[in-house]
């Protein structure tokens, strides 16, 4: 009898250990802060919009993107090192107004205009140009593209991939939920290479939600895998050569409710804004050292002045709660980490580097500096 009880205790001990190894960790993101880093603004720096870490002259820099240009900040001391803005006029200016741009290693900068004019600059000098056949966009009243982080990605030499962000403020339906050309590739020699044709999977109730045309993406350089997902959905699409090669439904310990945005019409005036009760995917990143995928989800919004509906005036009026969901290389959930950005605070982008994951600190104490947390997620590494 004693041997049987001892055996049951041993079995119970190992069963409990196995269950604990699969438990999803839940906690505060600030508990994983191991250091801080400061970017120093000069008199010409209006704002910092970090996109990635790049290599330039064999040194590492943080790239901050402006509307028609970029700035490089040293990853070692935070000093501003180099900046470039496309001129409004002259031989290296764009033909048409700017709609998308992104910077890459070695101070390479690529920009696209409303006429399909594409120019590549290196160190501020124009090195290549092509005029894309814009007839592919004839069906759209406005040509809009998302150039955030990996949404505008370099695939190879002179070969790029971008994300379309189609909305129509003139139609009753702000977003065509049946749109399929979300991803496109082009090169600087032959123009368009391919265009995707896949559905977001969102219902007609999202046709007046700007979030239905909002995509975030991440590239895993270790496995050369590229993924996109829509703001109001748990679906993840792996894309290669403009084709969906795999579709996943990401899991979470917390429940996310995705709701259509708020659409208001008063005569000829219309307005679209996010639903404060809805969850929203805001960012994706890949931690190359720990081989982890990171997903930021806004899970709670507290409006301080709900009567202000103009999206341009709403910036900084909300208190927002975010969860960083940590997944392993197979997109299996490992952790959910909470961080809160109060009224007047902005989250910004996740920047994953070999030193750790950088994220803007909620409270910025000085207008002359931009402070970042450095997060260590090695606890969840494979």
């Amino acid at each position: 009898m004693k041997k049987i009880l001892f055996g049951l205790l041993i079995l119970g001990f190992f069963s409990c250990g196995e269950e604990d190894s699969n438990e999803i960790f839940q906690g505060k993101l600030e508990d994983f802060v191991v250091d801080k880093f400061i970017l120093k603004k000069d008199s010409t720096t209006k704002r910092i919009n970090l996109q990635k870490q790049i290599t330039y002259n064999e040194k590492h820099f943080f790239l901050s993107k402006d509307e028609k240009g970029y700035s490089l900040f040293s990853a070692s001391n935070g000093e501003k090192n180099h900046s470039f803005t496309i001129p409004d006029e002259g031989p290296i200016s764009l033909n048409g107004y700017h709609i998308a741009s992104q910077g890459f290693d070695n101070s390479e900068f690529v920009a696209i205009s409303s006429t399909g004019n594409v120019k590549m600059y290196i160190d501020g000098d124009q090195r290549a140009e092509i005029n894309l056949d814009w007839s592919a966009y004839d069906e759209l009243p406005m040509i809009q593209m998302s150039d955030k982080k990996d949404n505008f990605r370099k695939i190879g030499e002179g070969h790029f991939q971008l994300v379309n962000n189609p909305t129509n403020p003139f139609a009753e339906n702000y977003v065509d939920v049946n749109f399929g050309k979300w991803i496109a590739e082009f090169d600087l020699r032959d123009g368009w290479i391919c265009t995707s044709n896949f559905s977001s999977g969102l219902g007609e109730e999202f046709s007046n939600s700007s979030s239905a045309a909002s995509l975030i993406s991440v590239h895993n350089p270790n496995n050369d895998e590229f993924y996109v997902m829509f703001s109001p959905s748990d679906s993840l699409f792996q894309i290669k050569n403009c084709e969906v090669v795999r579709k996943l439904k990401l899991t979470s310990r917390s429940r996310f409710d995705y709701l259509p945005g708020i659409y208001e019409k008063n005569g000829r005036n219309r307005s679209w804004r996010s639903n404060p009760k809805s969850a929203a995917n805001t960012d994706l990143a890949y931690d190359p050292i720990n081989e982890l995928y990171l997903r930021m989800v806004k899970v709670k919004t507290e409006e301080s002045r709900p009567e202000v509906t103009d999206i341009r005036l709403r910036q900084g009026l909300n208190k927002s709660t975010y969860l960083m969901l940590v997944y392993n290389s197979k997109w299996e959930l490992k952790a959910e980490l909470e961080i809160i950005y109060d009224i007047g605070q902005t989250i910004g982008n996740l920047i994953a580097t070999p030193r750790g994951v950088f994220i803007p600190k909620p409270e910025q104490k000085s207008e002359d500096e931009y402070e970042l947390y450095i997060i260590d997620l090695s606890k969840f590494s494979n």
Side-chain angles (χ1 to χ4, degrees):
M1 184 64 178
K2 289 182 179 180
K3 290 183 178 181
I4 293 174
L5 289 173
F6 180 76
L8 290 173
L9 287 171
I10 293 293
L11 179 61
F13 174 81
F14 281 106
S15 297
C16 290
E18 183 177 347
E19 182 178 331
D20 289 342
S21 67
N22 294 324
E23 186 175 346
I24 308 303
F25 180 89
Q26 291 182 296
K28 300 293 184 181
L29 184 57
E30 280 95 342
D31 292 341
F32 293 85
V33 174
V34 293
D35 206 349
K36 298 174 184 177
F37 188 77
I38 294 176
L39 301 180
K40 301 165 187 175
K41 300 179 182 178
D42 61 16
S43 59
T44 64
T45 305
K46 294 180 180 179
R47 69 187 186 105
I48 292 180
N49 178 21
L50 290 185
Q51 299 290 306
K52 62 183 75 173
Q53 180 177 278
I54 68 161
T55 301
Y56 176 53
N57 290 336
E58 299 182 352
K59 296 181 180 179
H60 297 302
F61 294 88
F62 290 109
L63 186 145
S64 173
K65 199 167 73 65
D66 303 318
E67 183 181 357
K68 295 196 302 179
Y70 67 94
S71 298
L72 298 181
F73 293 83
S74 170
S76 59
N77 60 27
E79 297 281 355
K80 188 174 180 178
N81 178 271
H82 174 74
S83 63
F84 168 69
T85 300
I86 301 172
D88 294 329
E89 299 178 348
I92 68 170
S93 63
L94 288 172
N95 178 16
Y97 62 85
H98 166 278
I99 59 172
S101 58
Q102 188 53 267
F104 307 97
D105 285 339
N106 300 315
S107 194
E108 183 176 312
F109 189 69
V110 179
I112 303 175
S113 82
S114 57
T115 64
N117 182 230
V118 182
K119 291 190 175 184
M120 182 184 76
Y121 307 87
I122 297 180
D123 279 334
D125 296 326
Q126 182 180 318
R127 300 295 181 86
E129 179 179 11
I130 191 173
N131 289 303
L132 296 173
D133 178 8
W134 228 225
S135 61
Y137 291 92
D138 283 348
E139 64 189 82
L140 299 176
M142 294 177 62
I143 300 171
Q144 299 178 81
M145 297 171 177
S146 174
D147 54 10
K148 172 183 174 179
K149 294 176 59 176
D150 286 337
N151 281 5
F152 195 159
R153 184 170 72 92
K154 183 176 181 179
I155 295 178
E157 194 61 38
H159 182 186
F160 301 91
Q161 176 184 271
L162 54 84
V163 169
N164 288 311
N165 180 24
T167 58
N168 186 355
F170 311 108
E172 199 61 38
N173 290 336
Y174 187 62
V175 178
D176 179 6
V177 294
N178 297 313
F179 185 79
K181 299 176 182 177
W182 299 105
I183 310 293
E185 292 183 20
F186 69 92
D187 67 29
L188 296 174
R189 185 183 65 179
D190 300 317
W192 297 117
I193 296 173
C194 64
T195 306
S196 70
N197 184 21
F198 69 95
S199 170
S200 66
L202 298 173
E204 289 292 336
E205 66 272 18
F206 284 92
S207 62
N208 269 318
S209 300
S210 58
S211 62
S214 177
L215 284 78
I216 54 175
S217 65
V218 62
H219 178 241
N220 175 345
N222 294 350
N223 298 330
D224 191 23
E225 294 177 352
F226 176 76
Y227 298 89
V228 297
M229 71 185 307
F230 291 82
S231 177
S233 172
D234 290 321
S235 295
L236 183 78
F237 302 84
Q238 183 181 351
I239 308 292
K240 190 173 183 64
N241 301 325
C242 298
E243 299 285 341
V244 177
V245 297
R246 186 167 59 135
K247 181 179 178 181
L248 304 171
K249 185 176 177 62
L250 297 185
T251 59
S252 61
R253 181 90 179 262
S254 302
R255 176 178 171 175
F256 300 148
D257 293 321
Y258 299 110
L259 304 174
I262 298 173
Y263 168 62
E264 296 174 342
K265 183 178 180 181
N266 183 10
R268 294 184 178 182
N269 297 322
R270 302 178 184 183
S271 66
W272 298 263
R273 63 188 181 97
S274 301
N275 190 327
K277 297 180 180 179
S278 176
N281 296 292
T282 63
D283 201 5
L284 290 171
Y286 179 73
D287 179 345
I289 300 302
N290 297 307
E291 298 183 346
L292 298 170
Y293 287 106
L294 312 176
R295 171 192 179 194
M296 293 300 294
V297 183
K298 182 163 63 174
V299 295
K300 185 179 179 181
T301 302
E302 298 177 39
E303 296 185 317
S304 62
R305 295 178 60 193
E307 72 278 4
V308 178
T309 59
D310 189 327
I311 190 172
R312 295 166 297 181
L313 302 176
R314 284 215 54 79
Q315 303 300 316
L317 294 182
N318 297 338
K319 177 180 179 180
S320 301
T321 301
Y322 292 85
L323 285 182
M324 174 190 282
L325 281 73
V326 181
Y327 299 87
N328 65 14
S329 59
K330 297 180 181 179
W331 288 100
E332 297 168 336
L333 184 63
K334 307 292 289 185
E336 292 183 351
L337 308 175
E338 182 185 80
I339 186 168
I340 296 174
Y341 286 77
D342 213 333
I343 296 171
Q345 301 172 351
T346 306
I347 185 171
N349 294 325
L350 294 174
I351 312 294
T353 77
R355 289 171 57 191
V357 178
F358 289 73
I359 184 172
K361 185 181 175 184
E363 184 180 1
Q364 300 289 331
K365 295 182 179 179
S366 171
E367 293 184 358
D368 299 325
E369 298 176 341
Y370 190 71
E371 195 168 2
L372 302 162
Y373 282 147
I374 304 178
I375 309 295
D376 179 10
L377 299 174
S378 58
K379 171 185 175 72
F380 310 110
S381 174
N382 293 333

